[in-house]
Amino acid sequence: MRVGVAAAAVLGLAAQAAAIDPLVIRGSKFFNEKTGDQFYFKGVAYQPRTGVTDANPDPLADPVGCKRDVAVFKDLGINAIRVYEVDYTKSHDQCMQMLEDAGIYLILDMPSPKYSINRADPHWDHDMMSKWKAKVDAFSGYPNLAAWIAGNEVANNADTTGAAAFVKAAIRDMKAYLRSKGLKTPVGYADNDDPAIRMNLINYFNCGDEDSRADLYGINTYRWCGDKTDFVTSGYEDITKNMTGYTIPSLLTEYGCNKVRPRTFTEIGSLYGPDMMGVFSGGFMYEYSEEDNDYGIVSVSYGSSSVSKVADYATFKKALQAVKPQGVKMSSYKPGGTPSRCPSPGSAWHVKSDVLPPTPSQARCQCMMDSLGCTFKSSNLTAAQGTEVGKVVGGICGQTSCDEISADPETGAYGDYSACDSYERAAWAISKNYENQRGAVCTAGDVDVKIVASPKVTDTAKCLTMKDDNGGAGAPSTAGSHGSSNSDSGRETSAALSARATTTTTHSLLLLAAAIAAAAQL
């Protein structure tokens, strides 16, 4: 029995014993590395929730459910599942073995609800990165792990496009971590198919240097509703045109409109037929289990071997088994095209595309914490204390510059400590207030704080030289950034700061407070 860890020796043994062929990407297509045949994902979204009592739902840690569902997967004729949430501390050996034996691949989301990039107040910090790394370590020993998804519909309208910069930074850093482990598992993004921002997102995740580009691109779309809709009227034709010539693989990471039931899934004929098979590498029907949103094709419960099929089961099975996409052979395929051109900032794109948030550095943040003259007494704050801290920090940053802990993807300005976690950024702000008052008042409202008479670090310049969490050399923040190393000439006027405090800064730091409280309770 293999163990789901990323150690090189274990990976070597797993590769030798694998009962499933590895997949590789060449240009915009997936191939079976052993046979050279083009590979199409015939998958379902798999996240059963009924009967779950654990705070961290994990269908791949339920051997009873896996045995039940793998038999159904075989009947359906699928070859892949997409899973959104798992608990990396649990064992997944039994379920992953069952899936592998059935020839079923896994696409797994890196984030979890507790550790994901918040579109309303996006940050990519060392705490979140460490949790994603732990998930990679837990699953990378399984040969049927086909790909990772680093973000699902994170930027979902024009106002939240700034969050895409943090997802792309996460892709860059997680790809680097995978490389450091000798792993080549691709990392991608899944969007929400919003026409207003669609092309900007498509281009953004495939532009710039290769190390930061996504390896695959997913589209969650629910345009095709019922038999009266077709390839043209559904908008699938437009989606296919958008992805034609794209230099990385594209998938429908979710599909299956349920406005007309029972669903007949006529879109499957286009997805795996001449309309789309030359552009898309298949997709994942949403979803396997019947939950409150009424998208399921079976009813199941966590830990139970019982399964009952709903009306959509037969129509999905019939539609899927009727298609046999004919792709190209890897030996005769020649990738073409060039990466996309990065989008420019505008009304529907609030990102300076050529600058990314910094790679998190726990060492840098700890060094900063060791320099503070005023800080929290406890590292564990309650929800009420988090709210209090948010108000205090919002007030502080309305009166003085908090550039060192702030991030502005629209201008490409990322503070020296913007990749620190919410607790550390808040601690920096209250210490900054203490310094501004020449050590007169150390306070964070009703939250207990303490004065540090002799901080361990007296020169914060050395903090900026600390290595990042992937072992890269430390350096001041990236081009266009602001931080403690910058001169005062670039700072906002007090009037501008006050105006900003009533909008972006206060809003951001109130959300930061909620993040502090949530992190303290994990």
Side-chain angles (χ1 to χ4, degrees):
M1 180 67 69
R2 289 181 308 281
V3 178
V5 295
V10 174
L11 285 171
L13 291 172
Q16 294 173 21
I20 196 167
D21 294 340
L23 302 179
V24 294
I25 290 175
R26 296 289 183 269
S28 62
K29 304 182 187 302
F30 279 88
F31 291 93
N32 181 308
E33 188 174 44
K34 185 175 180 180
T35 66
D37 294 329
Q38 187 175 348
F39 183 84
Y40 292 89
F41 290 91
K42 291 184 175 181
V44 296
Y46 182 64
Q47 194 74 50
R49 294 182 179 276
T50 301
V52 172
T53 58
D54 198 305
N56 299 314
D58 186 347
L60 301 181
D62 175 17
V64 173
C66 288
K67 182 178 180 180
R68 171 199 67 211
D69 295 332
V70 166
V72 179
F73 296 162
K74 289 180 180 180
D75 181 62
L76 286 169
I78 68 169
N79 62 15
I81 58 173
R82 179 188 176 188
V83 176
Y84 301 85
E85 295 180 51
V86 294
D87 182 345
Y88 61 79
T89 67
K90 297 178 179 177
S91 173
H92 304 93
D93 291 340
Q94 292 185 61
C95 285
M96 291 301 290
Q97 186 68 63
M98 293 180 208
L99 291 167
E100 181 189 338
D101 292 343
I104 295 172
Y105 295 89
L106 168 67
I107 288 185
L108 182 60
D109 286 40
M110 281 181 165
S112 66
K114 293 179 180 178
Y115 295 102
S116 59
I117 294 167
N118 182 342
R119 68 173 65 95
D121 181 41
H123 284 282
W124 172 238
D125 60 47
H126 63 79
D127 185 42
M128 192 183 305
M129 184 175 173
S130 70
K131 302 303 187 295
W132 290 26
K133 283 182 175 181
K135 187 179 288 188
V136 166
D137 292 345
F139 277 86
S140 288
Y142 300 119
N144 50 336
L145 176 68
W148 293 100
I149 298 295
N152 184 68
E153 302 185 9
V154 180
N156 66 352
N157 57 37
D159 291 338
T160 59
T161 51
F166 297 89
V167 178
K168 194 169 182 179
I171 289 175
R172 173 202 63 201
D173 294 339
M174 295 310 296
K175 286 176 65 171
Y177 182 68
L178 285 161
R179 286 195 304 272
S180 74
K181 297 292 183 179
L183 301 166
K184 298 180 181 179
T185 315
V187 183
Y189 178 73
D191 80 17
N192 69 320
D193 190 27
D194 183 331
I197 61 174
R198 180 198 301 143
M199 287 311 304
N200 283 333
L201 285 171
I202 289 170
N203 291 330
Y204 181 62
F205 282 100
N206 190 37
C207 78
D209 65 273
E210 184 177 0
D211 289 344
S212 63
R213 293 199 299 266
D215 297 316
L216 68 148
Y217 195 84
I219 299 173
N220 299 343
T221 183
Y222 295 87
R223 295 167 170 267
W224 196 310
C225 302
D227 292 344
K228 294 183 180 180
T229 309
D230 59 29
F231 179 62
V232 176
T233 59
S234 65
Y236 268 49
E237 181 182 45
D238 292 334
I239 293 173
T240 305
K241 287 178 180 178
N242 292 339
M243 306 311 293
T244 300
Y246 209 48
T247 58
I248 59 175
S250 49
L251 303 166
L252 294 189
T253 35
E254 292 177 11
Y255 71 87
C257 173
N258 69 349
K259 290 182 179 179
V260 180
R261 298 191 76 175
R263 295 180 286 177
T264 54
F265 299 102
T266 49
E267 65 264 49
I268 286 176
S270 281
L271 178 59
Y272 297 99
D275 288 338
M276 300 173 70
M277 70 180 184
V279 175
F280 283 86
S281 294
F284 294 79
M285 185 277 295
Y286 189 87
E287 65 179 320
Y288 177 71
S289 58
E290 184 77 322
E291 309 293 339
D292 292 340
N293 54 11
D294 295 327
Y295 277 94
I297 59 174
V298 300
S299 292
V300 294
S301 183
Y302 193 89
S304 169
S305 60
S306 175
V307 56
S308 60
K309 301 167 184 176
V310 302
D312 289 356
Y313 183 92
T315 54
F316 176 65
K317 176 181 176 179
K318 180 180 178 181
L320 193 65
Q321 295 190 349
V323 295
K324 293 178 173 56
Q326 299 297 312
V328 299
K329 295 289 288 188
M330 184 164 58
S331 59
S332 61
Y333 172 64
K334 294 182 180 179
T338 58
S340 306
R341 175 176 294 182
C342 290
S344 300
S347 60
W349 189 247
H350 302 293
V351 180
K352 191 175 189 301
S353 297
D354 59 345
V355 183
L356 289 177
T359 300
S361 169
Q362 186 173 12
R364 175 186 286 200
C365 296
Q366 184 58 56
C367 179
M368 177 271 286
M369 291 291 287
D370 289 341
S371 74
L372 303 182
C374 171
T375 189
F376 299 110
K377 279 188 177 180
S378 172
S379 59
N380 295 314
L381 302 182
T382 66
Q385 288 174 324
T387 300
E388 177 71 12
V389 168
K391 294 176 181 178
V392 170
V393 172
I396 292 169
C397 294
Q399 300 299 318
T400 189
S401 171
C402 285
D403 287 348
E404 286 93 332
I405 59 170
S406 300
D408 186 351
E410 188 161 18
T411 62
Y414 299 100
D416 292 328
Y417 306 114
S418 61
C420 297
D421 67 31
S422 54
Y423 177 89
E424 292 162 338
R425 285 180 281 126
W428 180 93
I430 65 167
S431 189
K432 178 74 171 181
N433 186 53
Y434 176 67
E435 292 173 11
N436 288 347
Q437 298 184 69
R438 294 182 173 84
V441 180
C442 173
T443 182
D446 295 331
V447 179
D448 290 338
V449 293
K450 63 182 179 181
I451 293 174
V452 182
S454 300
K456 295 179 183 179
V457 174
T458 56
D459 180 9
T460 55
K462 80 172 190 176
C463 297
L464 306 187
T465 67
M466 298 291 182
K467 289 187 176 182
D468 64 44
D469 287 354
N470 275 334
S477 300
T478 51
S481 68
H482 46 209
S484 58
S485 59
N486 289 4
S487 67
D488 288 338
S489 61
R491 299 201 183 281
E492 298 171 274
T493 64
S494 59
L497 279 166
S498 296
R500 188 160 64 97
T502 63
T503 54
T504 305
T505 302
T506 301
H507 174 67
S508 175
L509 289 162
L510 284 170
L511 287 167
L512 179 151
I516 298 169
Q521 297 176 52
L522 295 180

